[in-house]
Structure formats: C-alpha cells, structure tokens
Amino acid sequence: MKPTRRHIKLYSRLLGKKILSYLKLRIEYKTFLIIASLCVGIFSGLAASILKNTVHFIQNETHTLFNNLGIQYLLPITPLIGILLSILIVKVMFDGKIVKGLSNIIYSIIRKKSDIPRRKILSHLLTSGITVGMGGSAGLEAPIVIIGASIGSNVAKELKLNYKTRTLLLACGSAAGISAIFNSPIAGVIFAFEVLLPEITVYSFIPLLIASASSAVLSKMLYSGQLFYLVTEGWHLYAIPFYILLGIICGFVSLYMIRTSHYIENVLNNYNKPIRKAIIGGLVLCTMILLLPPLFGEGYTTVINLLAGRQNELLDSSIYRIFNNKELALLVFIAIIILTKVVATALTIGSGGNGGIIAPSLFTGALTGFFLAQVVSYLGISELNRANFIVVGMAGILSGVIHAPLTGIFLIAEITGVYVLIVPLMIVVALSFFISKHFNQNSIYTTSLAEKGIQFRSKREYFFTQEIKLEDLIETDFITLNPNMTLRIIMEKLTHTRRNLFPVIDEKEQLVGIITLDEIREIILDKEAYDFILVGDIMSQYFDSIEINTEFIEVMEYFEEKNIWNLPVTDGGKYVGFLSKSNIFQRYSTLWTKQQNEGI
C-alpha cells in the first residue's frame, strides 16, 4: 500500500523521537542542552525572518494595490481591515481563541510550568503579520517573543525535560526572537533575563547565547540590513543637564504609556462582541491615523527620517502644514503624536489586532528625544545633537515601559551600531526606570497580572513558588480540641504532643478558636479549675487564618505583615492544618541549594 501523507508524517515523528532518545542517552546533558538551544535559536530566527518578510510583503502589496486603483487616500482605513482579518483568522482557524501579550508568557512561566501551546506559533505569525502589515499601530516584537517562547517550550516538551530546563529553552526562544527581529543578540539575552527568567546560574548563559547568536546569524542571512544608522561624533559635557532632563521626561512619559495602555485595554474589554469592538476601536484608530499619519504602522520610517534630519517631512501629509510658523507647528504636532501613539497601539491590540509595545516605545522615545532637543533649539538655549537625543530617548522610554534598563541600553547600542553614547544612555535609562518604577511598581507586562494578585518580590521566590505547592507545606500533626472539653483533657493531651498550639474545632469541623500554652500558663497552674473551665472559655476567637487556595505570595506577605510564625489553614472554614514560617524557610533553602547544585 502506498504510504499517505499522514503515514509519512507519523513515521517522521517516530524517527525524530528515536534520534532524540539516542542523543539523550549518548550525549552529556549540558552538551545536549546546547544542541537543543541551537535548534530553538535556528527555528526562532527562521520564524522572525518569515514574519518580517510577511509584513513587508503585505505593506508593499497594499500600497501598490491602492495606488493602482487610485485610492491611495483610503490607506488610513487599512488598519481596520487588518484587525477584521485577524479576528476572522482567529475565528476560523483557532476556534476564536488567541492569547496576546507577554504578560501571558510570564503567567505561563509562573503558573503553567512554562507550557506554551504549539498553536501560538502559527496564530501569532498570521495575525501579527496581517495587523502590522496593514498599518496597525503596533510592533512585531511581542508576537515574535511569544512565537520563540512557544518553540522553546515545545522543543522541551518533546524532549520530556523538566520545568527548569523547559523555562530555560522558553527563554532561549524569546531571546532568539528579539535577537532576530533587531539583529541584536546581546539585547536578546539581556531581555530574557530581565523580563522572563527567574534567578539562575551562570551556566544558563551559554544556551541563551547560543540561541540568540544562531538566530541573529540566520536572520542576517535571510533578511540583511540594519534597522537604524547613526553617525555621531560622540557627546559633550555641556549636554549632561539636558540628558538628565530627558531621563526625567522619559520616566513620566513611560508612566503615562503604562497607565493609558492598561486603561484602554480595560475599556475595550467591556465589549463582549469581537466584531463590534473591532469596528468601534478600528474606526477610532483610522480617524487618528488620518489626522496624524505617523501613527500608521510601526513608525520606524518616521524615526529614520528624524535621524536623517528630514523632520519637516512629518508635516507634509498632515493638516499642520498650513501653519506659517513651521517650527512651532512641528513641535505641537510631535507633542500630540507622543501622547497618542500609545492610544493608537492600545486600540490596535485591544480591538482584535495583534502586536507589541516595544516598537511603539522606541517610536515614542525617538520623538521625545527629538522634541526636547528641538525645544531647546527653538528657545535659543543651546544647539543639541538631535540624533543623539533621538536614540537615547528610545532607550529611555523602552526601559521605563518594560522595566528593563539593561535591555534598553544594549538594544539601542546594537541597533544603531554606536556605543560612544553609553554614558548618556545610562543616565537617561536610569532616571526613566527609577521614575517609572517609583510611581508604578509593575511594568506594562506585569500590571495586569498584579491587578489579579499575581506578583513576585524576588526572583528566588519566583522559582520557589513554581517548585512547591502550598498543600505540601501544611503541617497536620496538631491535636484538635472541642469547645466543650475541660481543661483537664488539655492537660492529658499535652503529654502526647510537642506542640504548644491547639486548634479548636466544632462538630462541623469548623475552626472556631486557638489555644496557645503561653496564654493559659497561669490557668493551668490552678489544678482545682481543671474540671469546670472549658476550652470554649479560654480559647482565642480572634485569630488570623488563610484559605487553602490562597496564592503563596499572599501567604508570605501575611506572615510579614502580621509578624507571626504559625498560620492556620482552612478549606471553606473547615480546619486543615498549620503553615509554619520556619518550615517554609527550611524548604526554601533546601530547594534553592538543590537548584544551585544542579547548575541550571
């Protein structure tokens, strides 16, 4: 019988599994991990190249079609078409389900054991390509990070690797995605550490570097060219106060972007019908693009024009060109774009399109840096190097929005090919990050998670909460008492326990009180009272307790806030056991030592 396509696919899968099993048995684990990271990097780089070429193909074909039809003035409506097409694709091909945004990748790491479904690869590739290709005001970075994460996660699942290694390969895919989309391997690795990974050992750098470098090489082969070119003679000391001012401005603009994006997302979530939401949000977006043409697409063309000194081209296609004072009109126009870019991005994604915030952050940062330099020049205060302020502003906004300062510094240094601005970059990024973090503890990726009570105070705790379940920490060897028992019975039970704490439960097993020996020490010395003093008379009815389904982070915060060492656990009010702070710390120390010894 002639083998069908299904048979060939099945045989190929079985052969692949046999090869992988052989490699796992014959090759040292760390070497095997490097090979796996190399595969993840290559596949992620290939996906990034496909996505970039898809976007440029759609952009070119759309412009050509509208020009040939003589309706190029209708180009501002194409983002709405892109959003509707994305919704249609999700409805038809993916059962109407698609989860967007890096916050869901972070959630998957901390709650779903780094399990990213395979379907995310194709769903994000298609929807983001169409959304951005048709002029949606968003970037490709978040989708390609999600695609890379899905590739890494599924490679790990096929290899049957544990949670820590699966998380590492997930991060390798994400780092490779950033590396490929920007041709910036160092920034890709740093992004993975700052945004996605819990605290891990130095050995994890090697797989990340391999994945990021291989992805960058492949992307360079398939899609050559540098995103931005910057020619600068360096920076001058007299500009330091202005860089400080730029850092402060970037911090508050970043804060504005985080809160505005989150607000618009919540507003759009109130619309239950996808088509209605897409039409309303899409029409508002198209109107904004009609009035402010630079909001169309990722915005990198605008940044390139600013770096080349062609800022007056911004006014050519806008109503602001009618003003006599071109310099003032340009400043007003740019200020409006700075404030509205995040609105356009939130509308694009929230209405049903797919994209990310990194490109809009870079775009907004470029305009913020240019705006400050232009204002200083317009007021006759000083003549600043506008190109320097443009690229430094990009780093400032990016670090403030995603709370990743090192990513901001090295990404800009790599994509512009200039490291001579490292000091201004450090100044602006540090100030922007500090201000944004001070007023909004969470980044744009984790704000929605924090709203649901999902947040982590340290990377070690981040690892610990994934490795251990709250149920495993509950101690149940406490002797329970009934409110109607006498003091004599308590004294008899003392000989059978090392505990000095007694939970009191009623006939329905509800926790109604707690007795501690320290509180009844004076009473137990009075032997004459043993037979007429009841447990219900001396128990404390005012006690702190938690439900068994409480998030671990809340439990730790409760221990610290109340300054207690033991905490009763209930299930719908019924007594379950106690949590001990010392037991948690002991388990924490054991797990962390184990992780360090494993070298991953």
Side-chain angles (χ1 to χ4, degrees), residues 208-222:
L208 282 167
L209 289 171
I210 293 292
S212 189
S214 59
S215 178
V217 170
L218 184 62
S219 176
K220 194 81 171 176
M221 291 169 56
L222 299 177

Side-chain angles (χ1 to χ4, degrees), residues 283-469:
L283 287 175
V284 175
L285 173 64
C286 292
T287 303
M288 291 176 64
I289 291 174
L290 183 64
L291 298 174
L292 303 166
L295 296 180
F296 187 88
E298 295 171 290
Y300 288 146
T301 301
T302 299
V303 178
I304 292 170
N305 286 334
L306 289 177
L307 287 172
R310 298 190 295 265
Q311 58 267 22
N312 291 327
E313 291 186 13
L314 294 179
L315 296 177
D316 290 345
S317 56
S318 73
I319 59 173
Y320 288 82
R321 65 180 181 276
I322 64 176
F323 291 94
N324 293 325
N325 191 334
K326 298 294 184 182
E327 287 190 56
L328 183 59
L330 181 63
L331 288 173
V332 173
F333 186 62
I334 288 177
I336 295 173
I337 295 174
I338 290 171
L339 296 175
T340 54
K341 179 62 176 180
V342 67
V343 178
T345 301
L347 287 171
T348 299
I349 301 171
S351 298
N354 193 2
I357 194 65
I358 292 180
S361 298
L362 297 176
F363 172 87
T364 305
L367 266 67
T368 303
F370 175 82
F371 179 80
L372 176 60
Q374 190 75 3
V375 167
V376 171
S377 175
Y378 181 76
L379 297 176
I381 298 173
S382 180
E383 194 64 36
L384 301 174
N385 186 319
R386 289 174 177 78
N388 287 2
F389 275 76
I390 288 169
V391 298
V392 172
M394 292 164 70
I397 296 295
L398 180 62
S399 65
V401 169
I402 69 174
H403 287 186
L406 292 177
T407 299
I409 291 173
F410 285 98
L411 179 63
I412 297 305
E414 282 189 289
I415 64 177
T416 59
V418 176
Y419 279 86
V420 295
L421 296 178
I422 198 71
V423 173
L425 281 169
M426 292 168 68
I427 293 171
V428 173
V429 163
L431 287 171
S432 177
F433 172 72
F434 172 78
I435 291 171
S436 177
K437 186 83 172 176
H438 177 75
F439 290 102
N440 204 88
Q441 188 67 24
N442 297 285
S443 71
I444 199 165
Y445 296 138
T446 57
T447 296
S448 58
L449 295 179
E451 197 174 62
K452 299 173 185 176
I454 304 169
Q455 54 184 329
F456 294 84
R457 295 166 298 174
S458 70
K459 293 180 178 179
R460 291 191 176 193
E461 189 174 282
Y462 179 77
F463 161 75
F464 180 65
T465 53
Q466 180 62 57
E467 285 294 300
I468 200 72
K469 294 181 180 178

Side-chain angles (χ1 to χ4, degrees), residues 99-118:
V99 181
K100 295 174 285 189
L102 291 192
S103 59
N104 292 289
I105 297 297
I106 297 171
Y107 181 80
S108 295
I109 293 174
I110 61 181
R111 287 292 185 273
K112 296 183 177 180
K113 294 189 176 292
S114 300
D115 186 3
I116 315 294
R118 185 181 287 107

Side-chain angles (χ1 to χ4, degrees), residues 52-77:
K52 286 194 289 186
N53 282 288
T54 299
V55 168
H56 289 141
F57 173 79
I58 295 173
Q59 286 175 343
N60 294 333
E61 291 301 312
T62 302
H63 281 76
T64 301
L65 176 63
F66 275 60
N67 287 331
N68 291 340
L69 294 174
I71 55 172
Q72 58 271 17
Y73 55 88
L74 292 179
L75 272 173
I77 71 166

Side-chain angles (χ1 to χ4, degrees), residues 14 58 183 308 420 457 509 543:
L14 290 172
I58 295 173
N183 284 328
V420 295
R457 295 166 298 174
E509 298 184 1
F543 53 87

